[in-house]
Amino acid sequence: MTYEHILTRSEGKVGIAQLNRPKALNALNRELMAELIDALTQFDTDPAIGCMVITGNERAFAAGADIKQMAGATPVSMLDNPFIDYWDRLRRLNKPIIAAVSGFALGGGCELVMACDMIIASETAQFGQPEINIGVIPGAGGTQRMTRAVGKTLAMEIVLNGRFLTAAEALHHGLVNHVYPVEVYLEEAIKLAQQIANRAPVAVRLGKEAVNAADEMFLQAGLAHERRLFYMLFATEDQKEGMDAFISKRPANWQGK
Ligand code: DAK
């Protein structure tokens, strides 16, 4: 598939997808989402890639779903729209995804960021769910993930009154992992991705699954799930290698097996 609305590249073991509709502040139309999910799925199944980064440009990560494309929708056209399936497919990717965010991350853009596993922000990043301004509410997880991240009362202000969070506020409330100057935020995101990509691949994959379970399951079920994944790792060569390397005081050589 050739891409019109995104740019892709890899650096070492990191697959990078850059949203590229700058004139529309990277508004997420169907075509862009199809390309993004296609690219991420290819990275996810490529054994040479260990971690992914999604980014935009300095002015905007993404200013939301494309309002011009959404304006004439009906409930049934929304149901039939593959757009929803793209979001579900994003959730099913196995390798970690880091969002590198500068400028606007609004509406679906903010929801896309929150669907990623880690978030690196530039000092100019702004996070918001301004759907209230166009007569709707978030529809791709914004009310759920924002509330889990920042708590109910602040989430209410963000969703009901269109309040934006600055990068510093997002860091304070635990929405993002780190904030860096705009000149280096992407480089830092890629650096973090390289570190994770160089770790034991099966443990990274199951670690992601286990942390996500904390959001999606009750504690009892989550604990049982974590334990099963933990036991399963003792069937991997990398567990033997990692523990032997520790005992022999040498670096581990991961095989992803
Ligand atoms: N859609 C389409 N075009 C957009 C856009 C958007 N979301 N945001 C910006 N643009 C376009 C503008 O129309 C303008 O295009 P031209 O007029 O130049 O052709 C260009 O980008 C530059 O924007 P502005 O001229 O407005 O730039 P400003 O600096 O003055 O303002 C802004 C920047 C980000 C504050 C403003 O553009 C703005 O308020 N944008 C809309 C933000 C917004 O309301 N976002 C939420 C959209 S609703 C779902 C999945 C996803 C969703 C829902 C369900 N399912 C899976 C069920 C998501 C919904 C949404 O995101």
Side-chain angles (χ1 to χ4, degrees):
M1 186 168 176
T2 49
Y3 301 133
E4 248 183 80
H5 305 295
I6 64 167
L7 303 169
T8 60
R9 65 180 203 276
S10 57
E11 277 188 33
K13 294 182 184 171
V14 177
I16 302 160
Q18 180 181 5
L19 313 183
N20 191 33
R21 293 186 73 206
K23 286 188 187 143
L25 303 184
N26 290 334
L28 307 170
N29 61 13
R30 275 190 297 277
E31 297 74 16
L32 182 151
M33 283 302 290
E35 291 181 6
L36 179 65
I37 298 306
D38 183 78
L40 295 177
T41 304
Q42 287 195 31
F43 287 141
D44 203 46
T45 51
D46 180 348
I49 297 294
C51 192
M52 301 176 257
V53 171
I54 308 179
T55 194
N57 56 52
E58 276 184 31
R59 184 167 177 224
F61 176 86
D66 191 316
I67 299 169
K68 293 166 191 166
Q69 209 169 57
M70 205 168 40
T74 65
V76 175
S77 73
M78 291 284 245
L79 268 178
D80 288 342
N81 195 324
F83 204 64
I84 291 155
D85 183 48
Y86 299 141
W87 293 82
D88 291 341
R89 282 170 61 192
L90 183 75
R91 280 180 54 222
R92 292 199 296 270
L93 296 172
N94 295 315
K95 290 174 187 166
I97 310 175
I98 299 176
V101 182
S102 184
F104 299 114
L106 304 178
C110 190
E111 290 168 313
L112 176 58
V113 166
M114 292 191 293
C116 294
D117 302 306
M118 283 158 276
I119 306 171
I120 301 297
S122 88
E123 286 167 348
T124 65
Q126 297 188 67
F127 301 86
Q129 300 289 162
E131 288 88 343
I132 198 76
N133 297 333
I134 52 169
V136 291
I137 64 170
T143 62
Q144 306 303 298
R145 290 202 171 99
M146 185 60 85
T147 305
R148 280 172 163 80
V150 306
K152 176 177 155 178
T153 54
L154 181 55
M156 284 290 186
E157 206 183 334
I158 292 166
V159 171
L160 305 188
N161 207 28
R163 166 163 170 196
F164 289 1
L165 293 183
T166 63
E169 287 173 322
L171 183 66
H172 175 74
H173 292 288
L175 181 67
V176 308
N177 294 72
H178 302 282
V179 177
Y180 295 105
V182 70
E183 298 76 27
V184 297
Y185 79 100
L186 180 57
E187 194 182 314
E188 291 293 339
I190 295 170
K191 211 184 282 175
L192 175 61
Q194 295 287 10
Q195 288 169 5
I196 294 166
N198 282 313
R199 297 189 180 279
V202 185
V204 166
R205 174 175 172 170
L206 298 191
K208 166 170 169 160
E209 185 181 327
V211 174
N212 276 333
D215 260 352
E216 293 164 5
M217 289 179 175
F218 288 114
L219 183 61
Q220 197 83 18
L223 290 171
H225 188 62
E226 177 195 82
R227 201 158 307 158
R228 283 191 291 273
L229 296 177
F230 177 74
Y231 293 155
M232 196 170 125
L233 284 167
F234 283 76
T236 64
E237 290 174 22
D238 283 347
Q239 173 270 324
K240 307 284 177 274
E241 166 65 9
M243 295 192 183
D244 184 68
F246 175 81
I247 293 163
S248 322
K249 299 187 186 298
R250 63 171 175 82
N253 180 16
W254 308 120
Q255 299 299 323
K257 290 180 186 162

